[in-house]
Coordinates of all heavy atoms in Angstrom, one line a residue:
H336 N 0.7 -4.2 1.8 CA -0.4 -3.6 1.1 C -0.5 -2.2 1.3 O 0.4 -1.6 2.2 CB -1.8 -4.2 1.6 CG -2.1 -4.0 3.1 ND1 -1.5 -4.7 4.1 CD2 -2.7 -3.0 3.6 CE1 -1.8 -4.3 5.2 NE2 -2.5 -3.2 5.1
Q337 N -1.3 -1.4 0.8 CA -1.5 0.0 0.9 C -2.9 0.4 0.9 O -3.8 -0.4 0.6 CB -0.7 0.9 -0.1 CG -1.2 0.7 -1.5 CD -0.5 1.6 -2.5 OE1 -0.1 2.7 -2.1 NE2 -0.4 1.2 -3.7
V338 N -3.2 1.6 1.3 CA -4.6 2.2 1.3 C -4.6 3.4 0.3 O -3.6 4.2 0.3 CB -4.9 2.6 2.7 CG1 -6.2 3.4 2.7 CG2 -5.2 1.5 3.6
Q339 N -5.7 3.5 -0.5 CA -5.8 4.5 -1.5 C -7.2 5.2 -1.4 O -8.1 4.4 -1.1 CB -5.4 4.2 -2.9 CG -3.9 3.9 -3.1 CD -3.6 3.7 -4.5 OE1 -4.5 3.3 -5.3 NE2 -2.3 3.6 -4.9
D340 N -7.3 6.3 -1.9 CA -8.6 7.0 -2.1 C -9.1 6.7 -3.5 O -8.4 7.3 -4.5 CB -8.5 8.5 -1.8 CG -8.3 8.8 -0.4 OD1 -8.8 7.9 0.6 OD2 -7.6 9.8 0.0
R341 N -10.1 6.1 -3.8 CA -10.6 5.8 -5.1 C -12.1 6.2 -5.2 O -12.9 5.4 -4.5 CB -10.3 4.4 -5.6 CG -8.8 4.1 -5.9 CD -8.7 2.7 -6.3 NE -7.3 2.4 -6.4 CZ -6.8 1.1 -6.7 NH1 -7.7 0.2 -6.8 NH2 -5.5 1.0 -6.8
N342 N -12.5 7.0 -6.1 CA -13.8 7.5 -6.3 C -14.7 7.6 -5.1 O -15.8 7.2 -4.8 CB -14.5 6.2 -7.0 CG -13.9 6.0 -8.4 OD1 -13.5 6.9 -9.2 ND2 -13.8 4.7 -8.8
G343 N -13.9 8.5 -4.1 CA -14.6 8.7 -2.9 C -14.6 7.7 -1.8 O -15.3 7.8 -0.7
H344 N -14.0 6.6 -2.1 CA -13.9 5.5 -1.2 C -12.4 5.3 -0.8 O -11.5 5.4 -1.6 CB -14.4 4.3 -1.6 CG -15.9 4.3 -2.0 ND1 -17.0 4.3 -0.9 CD2 -16.6 4.5 -3.1 CE1 -18.1 4.4 -1.5 NE2 -18.0 4.6 -2.9
T345 N -12.2 4.8 0.5 CA -10.8 4.5 0.9 C -10.7 2.8 0.8 O -11.5 2.2 1.4 CB -10.5 4.8 2.4 OG1 -10.7 6.3 2.4 CG2 -9.2 4.5 2.8
V346 N -9.9 2.5 -0.1 CA -9.7 1.0 -0.3 C -8.4 0.5 0.0 O -7.3 1.2 -0.2 CB -10.1 0.7 -1.8 CG1 -11.6 1.1 -2.2 CG2 -9.2 1.4 -2.8
V347 N -8.3 -0.8 0.3 CA -7.0 -1.5 0.6 C -6.7 -2.1 -0.7 O -7.5 -2.8 -1.4 CB -7.2 -2.5 1.7 CG1 -5.9 -3.4 1.8 CG2 -7.6 -2.0 3.0
C348 N -5.4 -2.0 -1.2 CA -4.9 -2.5 -2.5 C -3.5 -3.0 -2.4 O -2.9 -2.8 -1.3 CB -5.2 -1.5 -3.6 SG -4.4 0.1 -3.2
P349 N -3.0 -3.7 -3.4 CA -1.7 -4.1 -3.3 C -0.7 -3.0 -3.4 O -1.1 -1.8 -3.6 CB -1.5 -4.8 -4.7 CG -2.9 -5.2 -5.1 CD -3.7 -4.1 -4.6
P350 N 0.5 -3.2 -2.9 CA 1.6 -2.1 -2.9 C 1.9 -1.6 -4.4 O 1.4 -2.2 -5.3 CB 2.8 -2.8 -2.4 CG 2.3 -3.9 -1.7 CD 1.0 -4.4 -2.4
K351 N 2.5 -0.5 -4.5 CA 2.9 0.1 -5.7 C 3.6 -0.8 -6.7 O 3.3 -0.8 -7.8 CB 3.7 1.4 -5.3 CG 3.8 2.3 -6.7 CD 4.6 3.6 -6.2 CE 5.0 4.4 -7.5 NZ 5.7 5.6 -7.1
T352 N 4.6 -1.5 -6.2 CA 5.4 -2.4 -7.0 C 5.7 -3.7 -6.2 O 5.5 -3.7 -5.0 CB 6.7 -1.8 -7.5 OG1 7.5 -1.5 -6.3 CG2 6.5 -0.4 -8.2
E353 N 6.3 -4.6 -6.9 CA 6.6 -5.9 -6.2 C 7.7 -5.6 -5.1 O 7.6 -6.2 -4.1 CB 7.2 -6.9 -7.2 CG 6.1 -7.6 -8.0 CD 6.7 -8.7 -8.9 OE1 7.8 -9.2 -8.6 OE2 6.0 -9.1 -9.9
S354 N 8.6 -4.7 -5.4 CA 9.7 -4.4 -4.4 C 9.1 -3.6 -3.3 O 9.9 -3.4 -2.3 CB 10.9 -3.6 -5.1 OG 10.4 -2.5 -5.9
S355 N 7.9 -3.1 -3.4 CA 7.3 -2.4 -2.3 C 6.9 -3.3 -1.1 O 6.8 -2.9 0.1 CB 6.1 -1.6 -2.8 OG 6.5 -0.7 -3.7
V356 N 6.8 -4.6 -1.4 CA 6.5 -5.6 -0.3 C 7.9 -5.9 0.3 O 8.8 -6.3 -0.3 CB 6.0 -6.9 -1.0 CG1 5.8 -8.0 0.1 CG2 4.6 -6.7 -1.7
R357 N 8.0 -5.4 1.6 CA 9.3 -5.5 2.3 C 9.1 -5.6 3.7 O 8.1 -5.2 4.3 CB 10.2 -4.3 1.8 CG 9.5 -2.9 2.3 CD 10.1 -1.8 1.3 NE 9.7 -0.5 1.8 CZ 8.5 0.1 1.5 NH1 7.6 -0.5 0.8 NH2 8.2 1.4 2.0
T358 N 10.2 -5.8 4.4 CA 10.3 -5.9 5.9 C 11.2 -4.7 6.2 O 12.3 -4.6 5.8 CB 10.8 -7.2 6.4 OG1 9.9 -8.2 5.8 CG2 10.7 -7.1 7.8
L359 N 10.7 -3.9 7.1 CA 11.5 -2.8 7.6 C 11.9 -2.9 9.1 O 11.0 -3.3 10.0 CB 10.7 -1.4 7.5 CG 10.3 -0.9 6.0 CD1 9.5 0.3 6.2 CD2 11.6 -0.8 5.2
A360 N 13.2 -2.6 9.5 CA 13.6 -2.7 10.8 C 13.0 -1.3 11.5 O 12.9 -0.4 10.9 CB 15.1 -2.7 10.8
L361 N 12.7 -1.5 12.8 CA 12.3 -0.5 13.6 C 13.3 -0.1 14.6 O 13.9 -1.1 15.3 CB 10.9 -0.8 14.2 CG 9.8 -1.3 13.4 CD1 8.6 -1.8 14.2 CD2 9.4 -0.1 12.4
D362 N 13.5 1.3 14.9 CA 14.4 1.6 15.9 C 13.8 1.7 17.3 O 12.6 1.5 17.4 CB 14.9 3.0 15.6 CG 13.8 4.1 15.6 OD1 13.6 4.5 16.8 OD2 13.2 4.4 14.5

């Protein structure tokens, strides 16, 4: 998911695209 500013509120919403849902390796 992601967080965006909308109409003066911070909201949780789906990621930008389907491929944005992903697993990242951490160093």
Side-chain angles (χ1 to χ4, degrees):
H336 62 278
Q337 64 173 330
V338 170
Q339 288 186 345
D340 293 323
R341 289 184 184 169
N342 303 319
H344 298 283
T345 302
V346 296
V347 177
C348 53
K351 187 175 179 181
T352 63
E353 281 185 24
S354 53
S355 298
V356 176
R357 62 202 188 279
T358 301
L359 296 178
L361 303 174
D362 64 83

